[in-house]
Amino acid sequence: MPSYYDIDDILMEEEPLSVVFQVGANAVGLLDPSSETNSVDKGAKVDLPFWLAHELYLRQAVSISVPACFSQRTRKEIQADAACVDLSFRCPYFYELGCKIVPLVGDKTIGSFVHYTFTSRYKEILSKSHSTHVSTGPKFLNRFTKEERQLFDAARSSMVAFKKWREGGSRLERASVLGRKRKTTIPLPPSATP
Amino acid sequence: MMSTSSKEMKTRPQQPHGRRAGRRRWRLRLVEFLAEDEMIEIVPNIRMEALNMICGDYGPFFPQIATRVPLWLAVALRKRGKCTIRSPEWMSVERLTQVLESERESPREFQPLPFHYIEISRLLFDHAHDDIQNIYMVRSLIEDIRDVRFHKVETGLETIAGRTHAVKLKNLSAMEVNIVRPFMVRALQAFYKHDSPQVIQQSEPMGTRRPQAVDRGPRRDLRPR
């Protein structure tokens, strides 16, 4: 069940899934761009967003195939070096989708695969987030999925806030006007001052 | 002047989420506020009646006779030049050197320090820097201690690899908890979600399934094994 107010959850449900229709459906030709009539035939392969695929799956109208981001090829890459895989490109909601799709597809290894991926990438996030200097970083940030990114930001912004707190001496900020040096050397007539 | 303003310009857009970062800064102030209730010894240089506050009665104050007041009162008096603050005994160079050494020697545990040592030291550095002996030494020692301890926290966090319902952190100070809190809470939540029996154990046959009600995940000490 999606949490109603969670924007990430809502966006995640937009992820397209490839499904195969188990029944013919009339008057929904817009779902299948390749169909010539205004209906989807039985056995047609269509990309649907997760929310729609899920509902249709519950009514046994479609069967869902394993998305590309959980394919054998991705698994091999993750096993080789999890931290270097650009998961954000594959699927920005990799973990959320993984958790939600487990009951919907036949492949039961997805759950442990998602867990394995997170565990091995977690160390990378941990070591980078607290130590990295603020100005560096966008290079590997692009590889992170949404969830990893949030984790990283949580650590980094608390570190930044702490550093600010430690340095900042006074609570009152000085207006920039006050810092200006007065020109006292050459008294100018009022009209000549800028 | 120019350099500071350009630095500000550089750091401002990189704040990840303005609102969240603001909340975090506010939390830091809150931790600092709580630290101001710690008692500290001052030596007044004025004669003053006792102060009757909601949180307690302090004083009366006599010149050159030490008394104990909360840190906020000490700082307020110090700002007006009405007292000197005696730096707490844990803030001496010898004690801190000793703490730093034992922090380095034992990679598994944290040394006992005051719960608010980071905040207290910063407040004293800011407002009573003349009253602390060897202030540069003390300041860098505290920095080093904090770094060593934080590194320990990080190596400890690395060991988390599955569902964990409790993390034991003995002797960790308020500010250190405050720094790791956002990351740790999110990380534990993520592990909890991905390591849930609904997601993982479905591949196993029904017979070998553990009863889920009692399985709250292992307890974990935040220490490298």
Side-chain angles (χ1 to χ4, degrees):
Chain A
M1 195 59 205
S3 33
Y4 192 78
Y5 291 109
D6 186 352
I7 185 66
D8 282 325
D9 207 68
I10 295 163
L11 289 174
M12 175 252 139
E13 302 221 318
E14 291 285 313
E15 282 296 314
L17 291 179
S18 155
V19 303
V20 178
F21 268 81
Q22 301 294 313
V23 291
N26 286 328
V28 286
L30 78 153
L31 293 179
D32 185 4
S34 66
S35 113
E36 284 158 11
T37 57
N38 193 21
S39 62
V40 179
D41 300 331
K42 185 179 175 184
K45 242 184 151 183
V46 183
D47 276 357
L48 294 182
F50 175 86
W51 56 269
L52 185 55
H54 185 211
E55 288 301 318
L56 290 176
Y57 174 83
L58 292 181
R59 288 163 181 74
Q60 297 180 338
V62 299
S63 69
I64 299 173
S65 33
V66 178
C69 53
F70 304 108
S71 64
Q72 285 304 322
R73 206 174 136 224
T74 317
R75 289 186 199 209
K76 290 246 168 64
E77 283 175 40
I78 296 264
Q79 269 160 17
D81 190 353
C84 283
V85 180
D86 187 349
L87 268 188
S88 166
F89 171 72
R90 305 272 150 92
C91 173
Y93 296 98
F94 180 83
Y95 300 109
E96 293 89 338
L97 187 65
C99 289
K100 293 218 170 172
I101 212 167
V102 166
L104 306 186
V105 294
D107 192 347
K108 299 297 180 201
T109 56
I110 287 182
S112 45
F113 168 59
V114 166
H115 178 58
Y116 171 80
T117 312
F118 184 76
T119 316
S120 32
R121 284 168 74 93
Y122 162 76
K123 281 179 189 143
E124 184 79 2
I125 305 167
L126 173 68
S127 63
K128 276 178 175 154
S129 54
H130 284 102
S131 57
T132 315
H133 192 259
V134 190
S135 56
T136 60
K139 211 174 167 190
F140 57 82
L141 275 183
N142 296 332
R143 293 203 295 265
F144 287 166
T145 69
K146 276 275 179 288
E147 185 168 355
E148 293 166 339
R149 182 68 199 260
Q150 282 169 356
L151 195 57
F152 180 85
D153 280 346
R156 203 177 61 170
S157 69
S158 83
M159 213 55 190
V160 169
F162 171 71
K163 280 189 179 143
K164 250 193 176 159
W165 171 83
R166 198 180 46 186
E167 285 162 15
S170 67
R171 307 290 165 71
L172 302 171
E173 280 180 23
R174 188 191 177 110
S176 57
V177 187
L178 296 175
R180 267 183 218 157
K181 259 188 191 167
R182 265 190 220 157
K183 290 174 191 162
T184 48
T185 45
I186 314 156
L188 292 168
S191 59
T193 47
Chain B
M1 219 275 286
M2 279 308 287
S3 68
T4 54
S5 66
S6 67
K7 212 201 269 162
E8 262 170 40
M9 289 295 284
K10 234 189 331 187
T11 50
R12 201 163 289 153
Q14 282 157 353
Q15 285 289 329
H17 299 292
R19 204 132 157 249
R20 230 178 269 161
R23 213 183 307 153
R24 241 152 243 159
R25 272 199 294 282
W26 180 80
R27 272 204 194 126
L28 288 168
R29 301 255 168 93
L30 183 68
V31 175
E32 186 186 319
F33 178 81
L34 293 174
E36 287 178 347
D37 277 342
E38 297 283 313
M39 298 299 274
I40 196 161
E41 206 165 60
I42 60 164
V43 181
N45 50 25
I46 45 143
R47 177 186 289 272
M48 191 164 67
E49 304 262 304
L51 295 168
N52 304 314
M53 307 284 183
I54 294 174
C55 53
D57 300 339
Y58 307 108
F61 302 94
F62 301 105
Q64 304 312 319
I65 294 182
T67 176
R68 287 179 76 77
V69 295
L71 190 54
W72 57 267
L73 184 57
V75 167
L77 289 173
R78 182 70 183 77
K79 270 189 195 162
R80 289 159 181 76
K82 299 205 186 305
C83 71
T84 53
I85 297 178
R86 275 199 188 154
S87 65
E89 45 103 31
W90 57 266
M91 253 177 84
S92 65
V93 174
E94 302 86 63
R95 279 293 298 276
L96 288 174
T97 323
Q98 204 185 323
V99 170
L100 180 61
E101 265 168 28
S102 29
E103 286 286 358
R104 283 189 174 141
E105 275 162 19
S106 58
R108 280 151 190 272
E109 46 199 59
F110 301 98
Q111 297 301 312
L113 271 172
F115 188 53
H116 289 291
Y117 79 96
I118 297 176
E119 303 90 301
I120 294 175
S121 60
R122 204 208 97 167
L123 282 167
L124 292 186
F125 292 148
D126 279 359
H127 300 291
H129 43 87
D130 297 334
D131 301 345
I132 305 166
Q133 286 155 355
N134 294 325
I135 181 163
Y136 290 107
M137 196 69 185
V138 170
R139 193 195 286 262
S140 65
L141 274 170
I142 288 180
E143 276 300 280
D144 289 352
I145 290 172
R146 197 188 60 78
D147 281 343
V148 173
R149 286 166 68 107
F150 194 76
H151 182 71
K152 271 187 225 177
V153 174
E154 272 187 308
T155 46
L157 280 173
E158 264 175 37
T159 61
I160 297 178
R163 216 170 217 213
T164 309
H165 79 267
V167 175
K168 185 178 170 188
L169 293 154
K170 206 182 165 198
N171 286 336
L172 204 68
S173 81
M175 190 52 86
E176 286 157 348
V177 172
N178 193 48
I179 293 171
V180 291
R181 188 200 293 119
F183 179 83
M184 202 145 156
V185 169
R186 274 190 176 277
L188 288 180
Q189 266 171 357
F191 275 118
Y192 189 82
K193 204 170 74 188
H194 300 141
D195 201 10
S196 79
Q198 283 90 28
V199 176
I200 298 269
Q201 290 185 0
Q202 273 197 348
S203 52
E204 289 177 23
M206 290 299 281
T208 60
R209 244 179 163 174
R210 281 178 287 170
Q212 285 174 16
V214 287
D215 177 29
R216 291 204 295 155
R219 217 179 254 261
R220 200 170 294 264
D221 280 4
L222 193 53
R223 291 171 192 168
R225 290 170 187 190

